[in-house]
Amino acid sequence: MRKDVRILLVGEPKVGKTSLIMSLVSEEFPDVVPYRVEEITIPADVTPERVPTHIVDYSDAEQTDEQLFQEISKANVICIVYAVNNKKSIEKVTNHWIPLITENTEKDSRVPLILVGNKSDLVEHSSMETILPIMNQYSEVETCVECSAKNLKNISELFYYAQKAVLHPTGPLYCPEKKDMKPLCVKALTRIFKVSDLDNDGILNDNELNFFQRACFNSPLEPQALEDVKNVVRKNLIDGVHYNGLSLKGFLFLHTLFIQRGRHETTWTVLRRFGYDDDLELNQDYLFPPLKLPPDCTTELNHNAYLFLQSVFDKHDKDRDCAMSPDELRDLFDVFPYMPWGPDVNNTVCSNEQGWITYQGYLSQWTLTTYLDVQRCLEYLGYLGYSIIAEQESQAAGITVTRAKKIDLQKKQTQRNVFRCNVFGDMGSGKSGFLQAFLGRNLVRQKMIKEEHRSYYAISTTYVYGQEKYLLLHEVFPDFDYLTDADMACDIVCLVYDVSNPYSFEYCAKVFKQYFMDSKTPCMMVAAKSDLPEIKQMYGCSPLEFCRRHKMPPPQSFTCNTAAEPNREIYTKLTTMAMYPHARLRCMCTCNRCTFCLCQNLLNSELLQTVRAKLYAVVLRRHIIQENLTSSTFWLRASVGATVFAVLGFAMYRVLLKTR
């Protein structure tokens, strides 16, 4: 909505332009009327629409044509004043003033016109019979008002209609010739209906209508008023009401009725609440609310946003199979001006056997969009009506900006839920297979992916110590000489080489030494295609020795050439390293042969768990029986017991180490 309104009054001399302005301001007819009054500003708190209004007078006795043309170009609405008792001034409306205004305004910027018949106190008849054909001929004429500056008749109404013509114009909404709403208006109201149809059953039930009423007008409808509205629709439209709910046809009919009865401010209130501007396009301020994103911070969806997106998924998953079929996906994005997800999305997130995006994949794609392009995410949430349905100020309320990564490193803990892993490797090393395996696709399923539908991203969830986290894999194009800041900005680096290619490891080693050896970003080496015979790498040292020298975990064997879904354990390890980059994990294997694994198995063994439980039970029992035992004595004995237990554990570790 405009922040102010500028009204220009034009017309032949002596028709009463200046008198109208002075009568409005002083609320009495002036004894002396000058040729012209200076521009008058009416404060917002005085006007019905709560918008500052500037009223500009014109006099050909004091102003030039050039000044008139400038005022026409600046005006939001123009009142053409004629005297009802002067036939010549009425003829000048079509012969002079409308053509003059049309010539001096841009074709795309239509200025609404108000025809004002002044001096109605001097005649007994109305001029409407003469004016109505003019209104029908020129679509830019909003309305006609007959008034009298002398007895103050319809003076306030005149300027109210002028304001209304600017703030709630009829032109974009309605076509008088066809007596129907314009296509853009129908399109906008159809989107509003679909967003408000919370259960996607094609009708607005009483609860949905009341929610819509509260969202737009801040108050629900009384039950009787609700029935009256539906009865009006029933009488005029056969299929306007279904199952006691308002259909799309009924919804559109109501707004047509509002416009025809001069209540188009009702339709405009609805349109503006759902983000539309005067041209019936979604407002940029609505789609892209301000969101401050400091350097080194990332963006994630918060709990409320995920709940909203879950409700949108449930609303469109008609067959309840926890997946979006192509038809269901088109229905979901029907409120968008374009299809936001292409075929590559199906290869970016998890899908079912039919290739349809699953519920988990759907949330993952939203998480990916939020992380990579938060402005695009805000736009998408705007199309879905997040701020209205979730009752939030804007889409920005659904976004969490994480704290800077350097603070996470200092505190040695993070509250983030999305971690980025950039995957490096030479051509043919198995990077794409590594990404697709994360989505549960083995080599057979990967071969079915078309090259044009290939994705360089893969995102899904992993569990680290019982916490669900998102891991985002990004395949980096193997251009060693040029890596962008985005290629190196990540939480963990994954270096993939082909065990069957003797020259594959060299690329990984060079990338690590040039870009990541001195950084704080943790790195993991992945020995891909481990189902093939391993060939010695043509490099100065073996991959295992290279990892030892640079204090990296040993190379992790991986293959996607499996009968079932590939093993996901390696992705959990990547997420763990991304979450705890400060922790130097000496061993990441699960071989059950090395010292680390043997000690881990010992600590987790049933024998040790039984011994620990019995020790605790004995200590606790002694504490309960000896009630007269002082607390200091009890804690002294408990400390001695814990020390003995620690010494025994360390001795066993040394024995195992010596054996190895």
Side-chain angles (χ1 to χ4, degrees), residues 18-29:
T18 307
S19 300
L20 287 170
I21 298 173
M22 295 180 72
S23 295
L24 173 73
V25 175
S26 62
E27 296 185 349
E28 62 179 4
F29 187 70

Side-chain angles (χ1 to χ4, degrees), residues 156-168:
S156 299
E157 286 79 359
L158 156 64
F159 291 100
Y160 168 71
Y161 285 130
Q163 269 192 335
K164 191 175 174 181
V166 177
L167 303 176
H168 310 300

Side-chain angles (χ1 to χ4, degrees), residues 579-622:
M579 283 181 67
Y580 304 103
H582 56 278
R584 288 290 179 180
L585 304 179
R586 294 178 178 275
C587 180
M588 292 290 290
C589 71
T590 53
C591 63
N592 293 322
R593 295 190 303 275
C594 67
T595 304
F596 181 85
C597 290
L598 289 172
C599 289
Q600 283 288 94
N601 291 340
L602 175 65
L603 290 171
N604 294 325
S605 66
E606 290 186 12
L607 175 63
L608 198 61
Q609 297 291 340
T610 304
V611 171
R612 186 186 301 170
K614 287 186 177 180
L615 179 62
Y616 287 159
V618 168
V619 172
L620 187 61
R621 189 162 51 249
R622 289 179 61 111

